[in-house]
Structures are given as structure tokens and as C-alpha cells.
Amino acid sequence: MSIQADARRITAPEIQARKGGEPIVSLTSYHAHTARLLDRHVDLILVGDSLGMVMHGLETTVPVTVEMMIVHGRAVVRGTQRALIVVDLPFGSYEASPTEAFHTAARVLKETGAGAVKLEGGRRMAETVRFLVDRGVPVMGHVGLTPQAINTLGSFKARGRDDAEASIILDDARAIAEAGAFSIVLEAIAEPLARRITEEVAPPTIGIGGSPACDGQILVLEDMLGLGDRVPKFVKKYANLGPDIETAVATYAEEVRARTFPAKEHTYAPRLVDKPAKAS
């Protein structure tokens, strides 16, 4: 029983209960190895559709499929024991109707073992959020800069920097909160707006380019590790692994070409077999 208790995952209701309390620590992950490294330190891991750009070299998140999300979501769940795993619903898999969203969300939860899903959009998605929550699907909302809408937004610039747009985003957050989202991601919006949303909505807010007043923060793991060529202003690099990896690969290539790798300590000696004793 104690082993089961130690390994019990954080749940969506537990994240929801953190409103105004200890800040929620979140990062993205797309495969088991990095998820295992994150698991002891974070409360929530998002398998974001940003994997399309980070892992697959796509220009936007729009081409990402449900199957891609399931493959990566399943891997992250396998690599963790503690953190709540949230999987993005990709573009085109939930917008048409609440029923379509439920079928997609149910499949994602069943096939990955994740504990919640995330979808983008404000007032237009409130009915869908309510429909999912009423049917047992924990939903994380996402307002502000919504990357799946890049073809209509036109750019990845910050949102809510004028009164008119700020009012729209505030209404979006209120609608998602009232619909039952257990938390809301606030991406790339003006700091005073992120602070106001955090003060006014019931579920915890998780900022990514929002405000230190948010109830939690999230970054794309590869961005904060210095693995991306271009990162948004809101990213702080906690490491600079990109150049270190390239240096390591260059050194490896030189040693292979010079035949200094593998050295003796990296190879296996033959097994010695005892010869049978001669008869006297």
C-alpha cells in the first residue's frame, strides 16, 4: 500500500486546488527519457503539439495529428510515475463539435494513459469544455496566443497589448473558467492582463509569457535547455546544450576518422577457454 501511495500521480483536481497556493511547475516533454528526468521536479508535464515543430521540424503546429500526439503521449506516460500528464488535442480534431472533441479526447486518454487534455480557444470553445468536463474529461484551457490559429492570427506576436484585445482575452478566460476547465494556460499576453485574469478566474493560471503572478509557469523544455535556434522573448535559457552537443558530435567525428575511437577500453577481449588437461 505504501508503495502505491508513493507512486500515486498528481491529478487534475489537485492542480485545480493549487489556486493561490504553491506555484505549479510545468514543462513540456515528448519522449520517455526526458519525461523521466522531469518527473521528480515538476507537477505537470504537457505533451504539447509543439512537438510538431520541436521534434518533427514542422513550421507550425497545424499539421500535427492525433496519432502523433498518442505516440508521444504514451511514451511520456511510460517514463513517469508522479506528474500529471496533459496531452494537447491537435488542430482539426475537436473544433467541429463537442461530440467530435469527446471522441478525440476519450481516445487520447484511453491510448496514452494521460490524466487530462488541453485545447485552445476561449468563448467559442466553452460549450466544448463543458461537454467534456460533464463526461469525465479533465480539460486545461489555453487563451491568448493560440498557435493552432496561426493562419488567422498571422504571426506569433504577443496578444492583449491594447484595451480592445485585452477585453476579448479576458472574456475568453472567464468563459473557459466558467465552463469547468481545471486550469488555463495564458500564452504571450501583456503582463497586466495575465495578472488580472489570474486574480479574476477560479482555476489556476499557468503562464508562458504571462506574468509572475500566474499560479504556475510552463516552458518548452528544448527552449529552456538551449536546444532551439529561435526562442520567444519569454524564454529563459537555463542551459545552453545546443553548442555542447555539437561540440561533442564534432569531437566524436574527429576521433572516428582518426581511428582513436574506439580505444582498447571500449572494446571486448575474447573469452579465455580453459584447455582440457592432458591424460597422463
Side-chain angles (χ1 to χ4, degrees), residues 208-209 219-220 223-225 231-238:
I208 177 166
L219 286 174
V220 172
D223 287 348
M224 60 92 76
L225 291 180
V231 297
K233 175 184 178 179
F234 56 71
V235 173
K236 176 179 178 179
K237 288 187 179 181
Y238 287 82

Side-chain angles (χ1 to χ4, degrees), residues 18-88:
R18 296 271 288 274
K19 179 70 178 181
E22 181 183 358
I24 300 161
V25 181
S26 312
L27 283 168
T28 65
S29 178
Y30 315 120
H31 45 78
H33 178 69
T34 55
R36 189 174 297 113
L37 296 175
L38 270 54
D39 195 37
R40 288 185 300 155
H41 305 284
V42 304
D43 305 303
L44 185 154
I45 295 176
L46 172 65
V47 185
D49 59 1
S50 51
L51 62 85
M53 302 168 75
V54 175
M55 302 293 294
H56 296 274
L58 300 173
E59 291 186 5
T60 72
T61 64
V62 172
V64 174
T65 65
V66 174
E67 287 71 24
M68 291 167 68
M69 298 306 306
I70 288 173
V71 167
H72 289 277
R74 188 183 294 142
V76 169
V77 170
R78 287 196 194 109
T80 56
Q81 294 183 338
R82 174 184 171 274
L84 171 65
I85 310 301
V86 181
V87 178
D88 263 338

Side-chain angles (χ1 to χ4, degrees), residues 100-170:
E100 177 190 53
F102 176 76
H103 288 312
T104 302
R107 181 185 173 196
V108 167
L109 295 183
K110 282 175 176 287
E111 296 187 31
T112 66
V117 299
K118 181 172 77 66
L119 54 79
E120 295 182 6
R123 287 167 294 175
R124 65 182 177 84
M125 296 309 303
E127 179 186 358
T128 295
V129 171
R130 184 174 290 107
F131 189 90
L132 294 180
V133 172
D134 286 347
R135 285 156 181 79
V137 178
V139 178
M140 172 183 281
H142 184 151
V143 301
L145 173 59
T146 49
Q148 291 178 8
I150 187 60
N151 288 328
T152 54
L153 294 175
S155 72
F156 289 107
K157 68 179 182 180
R159 307 288 156 176
R161 304 181 83 171
D162 60 68
D163 291 343
E165 193 172 53
S167 178
I168 292 171
I169 295 172
L170 178 58

Side-chain angles (χ1 to χ4, degrees), residues 24-27 140-143 183-189 194-195 198 204-220 234:
I24 300 161
V25 181
S26 312
L27 283 168
M140 172 183 281
H142 184 151
V143 301
S183 62
I184 304 175
V185 171
L186 307 181
E187 180 167 0
I189 63 177
R195 184 179 296 270
T198 300
T205 59
I206 298 179
I208 177 166
S211 168
C214 289
D215 298 292
Q217 302 293 332
I218 188 167
L219 286 174
V220 172
F234 56 71

